[in-house]
Amino acid sequence: MTTLFNRIALFLTIVALCACQEEKQEVVSPNGDLRVTIECIPENAYGEAVFSVDYKGKQVLAQTRLGMETEVQKLAGNLKLKSVSEAKPIVDDYQMLTGKRSHCMNEASERVYTFENESGQALDVTFRAYNDGVVFKYGIRTESGEERIIREHTAYALPQGAKRWMQKYDIGYEGFFPLSTDGILTGHPEVDTWGYPALAELQDSVFVLLTEANIRRGHCGSLLYNGENRDCYQVRLADDKMLCEGTWESPWRVLIIGSLGDVVESTLVTDVADPSKVADTEWIKPGLVSWIYWAHNHGSKDYRLLKEYIDLAVRMKWPYNLIDWEWDEMGNGGKLEDAVKYATACGVKSLVWYNSSTAWLGPGPLYRLNKKEDRRKEYQWLSDLGVSGMKIDFFNGDSVSTMNYFIDLLEDAADYQLMVNFHGATVPRGWQRTYPHLMSVEGVYGAEWYNNNAILTDRAAAHNATLPFTRNVIGPMDYTPGTFSDSQYPHITSYGHELALPVLFESALQHMPDRPSVYAQLPEAVKQLLSVLPTAWDDTKLLAGYPGVEVVMARRKGDVWYIAGINGTDKPRTLRASLEKLSVDGKSMALFKDGADNRSFSIEENVPAGDSLIVDCLPRGGFVGVIK
């Protein structure tokens, strides 16, 4: 009798295990390199839903927890797998006006996993395995009209000791990405929240970049928390409660996985974003911008000084000039309308700064964009003046209300053919595809900080050599590169390093921040390069590099390749890169590299472009090569 009882007990245990573990359904990338396994870890009949990722036959991420929780539904830790859809092919094929690649193509395999809790409430998790990463999103069927999401249970478990480059969370995303192997910010063990994107090296030369994409109206952003386990990064929503109605879907959780080249060259963030909502895009024109603020630590209140920057744009053949803050106080010979009229007569288009009036309410004008009727009236006024775009500043984080405000600003701007640049704002999450007139976003510790304190001076080189692998992967970054002279605090990067940054750092509106007199004194060949430099690209290739150490990147416009490299260290360094993937053998290159000191250039014309490139750099040095 006891034996029979034991057999029955064993049978029931097996049944319970199978209920949650039967058929570990997988999602496999089209090239077979990435394999996602979704399963339940059972406790009785229900358990923890998790997924693991294999890359080229080796597990690189183990048992990432899944789950969501609303005020009336707990869908985490108490789940069993109810059904799995058949694998569905996904093809992304679209054009971008801005960014690292004009023609974007990607393919994936998709499956929808439906989990059920003890009450029969369902959680759908849609997984896609692309050749360059894994994405997933949640779906919930709400049970009441005012149901609110209170927690996401996603938790990424990194291997112990894994190298990681993560930025302490801040609503402006203006911080460094220091290297860590223990998940602790050196000198600040109290820090336990981190912003996107987050880069980690899972194994030798296998990396993952964590972020999110396709935030829609009604979504808040999220961040990462590792206060409970330094190697486990939980997704936390920016809002404590988020209203969800009907059938609700989350943004995509994005894991770009592969080599550093796979990460840097990936367009996965826009691949999973909604297609463009703007039909007529002829008015959207990327370009270089003259910018008054950096050199003077002031905005545009001085009309005569602003005219010097309009004249600079004329001489440098740059299409735009930014009229920055304080324009509502403009004097010394003219007002905003006079500045726009003068620029237009010179063939230069004007961009105008605005305060979002949601966070820092210091500089004005204030409260002109918050209400729809006021915003559209302001947009109409700008359009009638001939203004081409806006820089909107000082936003208040990643809440639903702020995300909705971003979308409001973008949707109305499209009606008046105004391009948009968000500053003091969250990082891109794919909106540059959905709203192609979103030209750039700050969300970076950029050259503007030379105005604020002395920190960037010593850290700029390593920071600049980290950004192409982190922040700039996910979208445009208004760093304001190319500071050859000094602002309030000096730079110790070389001229070659500074010249490389407008190529390395992608931004459809690339603000050039230095004084007119400084650009006038540059060598003629350098001025010519800066006059024709593209700001949106047909292709991008990472040729060499490692975060914080060095980077060599190639970007193509038409049939011209622009190659930029920087040394992120404080010692001389030789940068080496293969050019085989560019197919430039037999062509010639103009090479702009470090001179005898960090404030001079060595320029070589008609250098044969072979299979490889070798350039000696000064400490914190760099170069640019142009292959035609």
Side-chain angles (χ1 to χ4, degrees), residues 560-597:
V560 180
W561 281 102
Y562 295 80
I563 304 173
I566 58 172
N567 173 12
T569 75
D570 294 329
K571 296 180 180 180
R573 191 173 186 87
T574 300
L575 301 185
R576 294 178 169 85
S578 170
L579 303 182
E580 290 183 0
K581 59 173 83 170
L582 307 186
S583 301
V584 294
D585 193 28
K587 295 186 177 183
S588 63
M589 173 172 55
L591 187 60
F592 304 79
K593 57 184 182 178
D594 294 329
D597 56 52

Side-chain angles (χ1 to χ4, degrees), residues 36-322:
V36 187
T37 303
I38 295 90
E39 58 185 315
C40 278
I41 302 174
E43 295 179 7
N44 301 317
Y46 296 85
E48 194 87 62
V50 300
F51 74 90
S52 301
V53 180
D54 288 6
Y55 178 72
K56 294 185 176 180
K58 294 183 179 179
Q59 189 175 85
V60 292
L61 280 174
Q63 295 189 346
T64 290
R65 293 202 306 270
L66 296 166
M68 296 292 293
E69 188 173 349
T70 77
E71 293 170 321
V72 298
Q73 301 184 68
K74 184 178 181 184
L75 299 162
N78 58 347
L79 301 174
K80 67 178 180 181
L81 185 60
K82 182 181 178 183
S83 64
V84 182
S85 71
E86 292 295 321
K88 171 186 173 182
I90 299 293
V91 177
D92 300 307
D93 188 339
Y94 58 97
Q95 297 289 328
M96 289 287 291
L97 297 176
T98 65
K100 66 181 79 171
R101 189 168 297 114
S102 57
H103 184 193
C104 299
M105 295 183 65
N106 211 345
E107 295 182 5
S109 180
E110 176 185 285
R111 273 182 161 163
V112 180
Y113 295 76
T114 300
F115 297 91
E116 195 174 77
N117 65 13
E118 310 96 319
S119 303
Q121 297 163 328
L123 174 70
D124 293 329
V125 188
T126 302
F127 271 93
R128 291 181 184 175
Y130 287 85
N131 292 337
D132 57 348
V134 174
V135 301
F136 65 96
K137 65 180 178 180
Y138 295 106
I140 297 173
R141 289 174 282 281
T142 61
E143 297 194 344
S144 66
E146 294 294 320
E147 194 166 346
R148 288 174 172 81
I149 293 171
I150 59 173
R151 186 179 179 189
E152 179 170 336
H153 288 257
T154 306
Y156 305 106
L158 297 184
Q160 189 173 13
K163 292 181 180 178
R164 63 208 78 176
W165 295 263
M166 298 185 183
Q167 178 185 133
K168 179 181 73 170
Y169 179 74
D170 174 80
I171 63 171
Y173 292 82
E174 295 184 53
F176 297 103
F177 290 83
L179 170 62
S180 168
T181 57
D182 58 9
I184 298 174
L185 182 61
T186 301
H188 297 277
E190 75 283 359
V191 172
D192 55 16
T193 54
W194 311 88
Y196 295 121
L199 178 70
E201 186 171 7
L202 304 174
Q203 299 176 359
D204 290 341
S205 302
V206 179
F207 293 80
V208 61
L209 187 86
L210 304 174
T211 189
E212 63 183 355
N214 206 38
I215 287 183
R216 293 170 172 162
R217 191 178 298 278
H219 288 153
C220 69
S222 68
L223 55 142
L224 299 172
Y225 166 76
N226 73 336
E228 297 176 7
N229 179 339
R230 289 299 185 172
D231 294 314
C232 185
Y233 292 83
Q234 303 172 28
V235 174
R236 283 195 167 179
L237 302 177
D239 282 340
D240 293 333
K241 294 183 179 182
M242 181 170 51
L243 182 67
C244 56
E245 299 176 287
T247 301
W248 178 90
E249 287 188 345
S250 74
W252 289 101
R253 305 301 177 219
V254 177
L255 301 84
I256 303 174
I257 299 173
S259 67
L260 278 174
D262 293 328
V263 171
V264 170
E265 298 168 21
S266 175
T267 58
L268 196 50
V269 170
T270 50
D271 294 341
V272 299
D274 288 335
S276 174
K277 295 185 177 182
V278 181
D280 174 18
T281 59
E282 288 298 316
W283 52 277
I284 303 171
K285 304 291 184 183
L288 290 152
V289 188
S290 59
W291 183 42
I292 191 173
Y293 168 78
W294 183 84
H296 304 279
N297 203 22
H298 262 293
S300 301
K301 66 190 302 181
D302 188 322
Y303 172 70
R304 294 190 182 280
L305 184 59
L306 178 64
K307 284 178 64 179
E308 294 181 15
Y309 284 81
I310 297 171
D311 294 339
L312 169 65
V314 173
R315 290 194 301 272
M316 296 298 293
K317 300 182 176 64
W318 295 339
Y320 300 106
N321 171 69
L322 174 63

Side-chain angles (χ1 to χ4, degrees), residues 217-455:
R217 191 178 298 278
H219 288 153
C220 69
S222 68
L223 55 142
L224 299 172
Y225 166 76
N226 73 336
E228 297 176 7
N229 179 339
R230 289 299 185 172
D231 294 314
C232 185
Y233 292 83
Q234 303 172 28
V235 174
R236 283 195 167 179
L237 302 177
D239 282 340
D240 293 333
K241 294 183 179 182
M242 181 170 51
L243 182 67
C244 56
E245 299 176 287
T247 301
W248 178 90
E249 287 188 345
S250 74
W252 289 101
R253 305 301 177 219
V254 177
L255 301 84
I256 303 174
I257 299 173
S259 67
L260 278 174
D262 293 328
V263 171
V264 170
E265 298 168 21
S266 175
T267 58
L268 196 50
V269 170
T270 50
D271 294 341
V272 299
D274 288 335
S276 174
K277 295 185 177 182
V278 181
D280 174 18
T281 59
E282 288 298 316
W283 52 277
I284 303 171
K285 304 291 184 183
L288 290 152
V289 188
S290 59
W291 183 42
I292 191 173
Y293 168 78
W294 183 84
H296 304 279
N297 203 22
H298 262 293
S300 301
K301 66 190 302 181
D302 188 322
Y303 172 70
R304 294 190 182 280
L305 184 59
L306 178 64
K307 284 178 64 179
E308 294 181 15
Y309 284 81
I310 297 171
D311 294 339
L312 169 65
V314 173
R315 290 194 301 272
M316 296 298 293
K317 300 182 176 64
W318 295 339
Y320 300 106
N321 171 69
L322 174 63
I323 303 173
D324 215 307
W325 63 294
E326 298 180 310
W327 60 260
D328 56 330
E329 305 172 32
M330 192 182 299
N332 194 20
K335 296 184 178 182
L336 173 74
E337 294 87 343
D338 301 305
V340 173
K341 183 178 180 180
Y342 178 77
T344 301
C346 294
V348 174
K349 299 175 183 178
S350 295
L351 311 173
V352 179
W353 181 95
Y354 275 82
N355 193 323
S356 80
S357 305
T358 60
W360 185 35
L361 301 179
L366 299 175
Y367 302 114
R368 297 198 186 187
L369 306 178
N370 303 75
K371 296 179 180 179
K372 189 176 184 69
E373 59 271 24
D374 294 338
R375 178 168 59 248
R376 293 184 70 87
K377 179 181 178 182
E378 197 77 6
Y379 284 179
Q380 183 67 64
W381 176 64
L382 292 172
S383 179
D384 291 343
L385 280 178
V387 170
S388 294
M390 310 169 68
K391 172 182 175 181
I392 309 175
D393 210 341
F394 305 132
F395 289 90
N396 195 22
D398 293 295
S399 65
V400 169
S401 61
T402 302
M403 294 299 181
N404 288 349
Y405 187 31
F406 283 131
I407 294 172
D408 289 340
L409 290 165
L410 287 166
E411 290 184 346
D412 285 341
D415 291 341
Y416 296 90
Q417 298 191 349
L418 293 169
M419 298 180 296
V420 176
N421 175 14
F422 288 136
H423 256 239
T426 192
V427 293
R429 290 173 168 89
W431 282 338
Q432 60 269 35
R433 178 184 177 187
T434 312
Y435 304 102
H437 56 301
L438 176 59
M439 309 300 283
S440 195
V441 178
E442 189 181 24
V444 65
Y445 198 100
E448 182 180 313
W449 279 89
Y450 284 119
N451 278 310
N452 301 334
N453 56 49
I455 295 174

